[in-house]
Amino acid sequence: MTMISRISKTTMMLGAVVVLATGGAAADGHLGKIKERQEAMKAVGGGMKIIVGTAKGEMAFDAAAINKAAMTIKTNLEKSSSLFPEGTGEESGVENRAKPEIWLDTEGFAAAMKKAIVAAEKVAGVTQKADLMPALGQLGAGCKGCHENFRAPKK
Amino acid sequence: MKRKSTVLLAGIAITGSAVFMVLSAPQPFDEKVLPAHKPDMANGRVIYDAGGCISCHKPAKGAGDVNLPSGGAPLKTPIGTFYPPNITGDANSGIGNWSDLQFVNAMMAGVSPTGQHYFPAFPYTSYARLKITDVLDLKAYLMSLKKVDTKGQKTTHLLAEPVLRRGMGVWKKVSFEQGDFVADTTQTASWNRGAYLVAGAGHCNECHTPRNFAMGLDFSRHLAGGPHPEGKGKVPSLRGLKKRKRFSSVDDLNSALRFGEILGYEDMSSGGMGDVQTNMSKLPEAETKAIAEYLFSLQ
């Protein structure tokens, strides 16, 4: 084996290692974003439980608790708005339910997210039980509006 | 020898075509099935909402009043894109000139006024379970809506459509069963009402019951869920909802049907269920409760 061929072989192997490593890093980045947004949505779900439970009368009305739950929803929705970079749909290879429409209709997706955020803010400002149901109606419609167009059915 | 085989082939082709034409012939109802009936508009509205007609017959984005079933919004399916027609009462572009019998045949036999088969993207396979009086009420309700003239609106054009369309007759022979809904006399009236709405107008089976090799509904796995018809993800099973603790009670399920994600019920929005739930929310509460009673009881 000549020196040159040995060098080129080493270079090729090194190259392969680099490609694998960066590929892995990109996938890790995507995986991170997907996990982060799934966590954020879980937090949103947690907040919803308190608000829905109160609206249904399963929990006593507590303005401070409603405010806290609604703010949790708001901040997590805001956070997740930036957690949908291109390449993190099903093409990422990581199981998740983001539909391609998120990137085909970026404006529609942003508007749907915004609607839910604004609605969460309104719920946060509710101080009496009578106002909770109408405000929750808006917030729930926000969840629905986004999910029906941008979230795929369960695998 | 050569001539013999040519004759034989021609014979097979002719016989084959003849058999195909016989098997695929549309079989509409006869005038005699129509009862004397005074339409009940309120009931027509219930059938309309339970069927969620607007979901498929809505106008294309920005092309008209989203609350009127003037059709035209594209419906993508594995065999091509459908443009569901205008079902408002407009005489030329809608159903304004349809007779009652033509409407019943469309809904329950899957045969158009010009005597052609409909593709089961239009779920007459489920609507066949409807009472004819309910279908007549639905027609009266549709005729009461504002008439929309949709002249020039896109219509369905599939590849090899005439052959495919005629071929639907053969598919119907295998996969389409007519016949009234059969009540279970051991159950309550409301349970049976729910079962009727699920099987007929609601056409829940079309997605929630898996299909067999011939793309017919496999009732041995009734409402057991399966692959999503649009190709991605799954449609959930509606069996064992109680055992699987998906809902805590009939009231809980009723509330999910009526409010969906507005009351935080997850997975009532994606995969097309959002529209279904919106339509169900318009039903009188007794109707959704009947659906809930029936579904919750399925083991």
Side-chain angles (χ1 to χ4, degrees):
Chain A
M1 202 177 274
T2 64
M3 195 61 157
I4 291 176
S5 80
R6 193 173 296 164
I7 289 173
S8 67
K9 209 174 175 185
T10 318
T11 318
M12 271 167 66
M13 274 170 66
L14 267 176
V17 169
V18 169
V19 165
L20 276 175
T22 50
D28 268 359
H30 283 167
L31 181 62
K33 297 269 193 240
I34 293 169
K35 273 199 169 149
E36 258 186 88
R37 74 190 181 213
Q38 286 172 343
E39 287 306 316
M41 287 299 168
K42 261 185 209 148
V44 170
M48 276 301 275
K49 275 214 173 84
I50 292 166
I51 298 165
V52 168
T54 309
K56 278 180 167 174
E58 291 163 2
M59 293 177 215
F61 181 81
D62 174 353
I66 292 296
N67 176 272
K68 195 178 159 208
M71 288 313 284
T72 301
I73 293 173
K74 181 178 176 268
T75 44
N76 278 287
L77 287 179
E78 280 167 347
K79 191 173 149 198
S80 50
S81 299
S82 63
L83 294 174
F84 288 89
E86 218 159 325
T88 60
E90 58 184 18
E91 71 279 15
S92 67
V94 183
E95 198 170 307
N96 77 93
R97 293 167 66 186
K99 279 175 82 171
E101 277 75 4
I102 291 175
W103 299 281
L104 292 171
D105 179 14
T106 46
E107 268 176 48
F109 180 62
M113 195 66 111
K114 179 85 190 151
K115 214 172 146 186
I117 291 168
V118 170
E121 236 166 42
K122 284 227 172 95
V123 175
V126 168
T127 52
Q128 52 178 349
K129 179 144 196 227
D131 299 336
L132 184 59
M133 199 57 189
L136 171 59
Q138 296 284 313
L139 177 56
C143 304
K144 178 174 173 173
C146 208
H147 285 163
E148 67 183 343
N149 296 318
F150 302 107
R151 189 189 203 191
K154 259 191 191 149
K155 287 259 157 60
Chain B
M1 194 61 193
K2 207 171 192 183
R3 188 184 293 167
K4 235 183 190 172
S5 60
T6 312
V7 170
L8 187 67
L9 276 176
I12 290 171
I14 291 168
T15 317
S17 314
V19 169
F20 176 77
M21 291 313 273
V22 169
L23 280 179
S24 64
Q27 293 179 318
F29 288 103
D30 184 273
E31 194 82 41
K32 278 179 278 188
V33 300
L34 297 182
H37 180 65
K38 187 170 166 285
D40 174 346
M41 218 69 94
N43 182 50
R45 164 107 215 234
V46 166
I47 300 302
Y48 178 79
D49 286 332
C53 308
I54 191 69
S55 296
C56 286
H57 291 277
K58 66 187 169 209
K61 241 185 194 163
D65 185 341
V66 292
N67 294 312
L68 289 170
S70 59
L75 183 70
K76 288 195 180 119
T77 79
I79 64 161
T81 300
F82 286 84
Y83 294 91
N86 177 1
I87 53 169
T88 71
D90 186 64
N92 299 310
S93 58
I95 61 162
N97 283 336
W98 290 28
S99 69
D100 284 353
L101 183 64
Q102 284 173 330
F103 189 74
V104 167
N105 272 318
M107 290 284 296
M108 302 178 68
V111 177
S112 78
T114 56
Q116 292 191 307
H117 293 300
Y118 285 123
F119 290 100
F122 169 51
Y124 54 82
T125 36
S126 290
Y127 301 153
R129 301 284 95 78
L130 284 165
K131 285 183 263 187
I132 287 182
T133 48
D134 279 350
V135 174
L136 296 175
D137 291 348
L138 173 64
K139 178 169 184 266
Y141 177 72
L142 289 173
M143 291 300 293
S144 78
L145 297 174
K146 193 175 159 223
K147 297 168 176 46
V148 183
D149 183 352
T150 55
K151 201 175 156 198
Q153 182 165 282
K154 253 192 184 166
T155 54
T156 307
H157 292 288
L158 304 174
L159 210 64
E161 186 174 326
V163 180
L164 271 180
R165 208 172 263 291
R166 182 77 193 199
M168 279 300 121
V170 180
W171 180 83
K172 280 175 166 179
K173 282 270 181 310
V174 181
S175 300
F176 173 46
E177 208 177 317
Q178 285 180 317
D180 291 341
F181 168 76
V182 182
D184 180 343
T185 49
T186 65
Q187 300 283 356
T188 64
S190 53
W191 185 97
N192 275 301
R193 175 67 180 167
Y196 171 69
L197 289 171
V198 164
H203 63 282
C204 308
N205 286 304
E206 302 290 340
C207 290
H208 286 278
T209 294
R211 291 177 185 273
N212 58 26
F213 66 96
M215 289 307 283
L217 293 169
D218 176 4
F219 281 103
S220 71
R221 292 180 287 162
H222 183 219
L223 295 173
H228 198 283
E230 279 168 14
K232 278 174 196 163
K234 279 185 184 155
V235 180
S237 168
L238 302 180
R239 307 195 69 99
L241 292 174
K242 186 178 179 182
K243 203 174 156 196
R244 289 186 285 128
K245 300 199 168 96
R246 281 291 285 120
F247 300 95
S248 61
S249 64
V250 170
D251 283 337
D252 188 35
L253 175 52
N254 179 41
S255 168
L257 296 175
R258 298 198 70 76
F259 300 101
E261 275 205 282
I262 287 174
L263 283 186
Y265 289 98
E266 253 209 274
D267 293 318
M268 291 294 289
S269 305
S270 54
M273 194 61 199
D275 276 343
V276 176
Q277 187 267 313
T278 302
N279 293 321
M280 277 197 289
S281 74
K282 296 174 189 159
L283 288 172
E285 178 140 19
E287 308 285 11
T288 49
K289 193 142 184 207
I291 293 172
E293 180 185 346
Y294 166 68
L295 292 179
F296 200 67
S297 77
L298 297 175
Q299 299 292 312

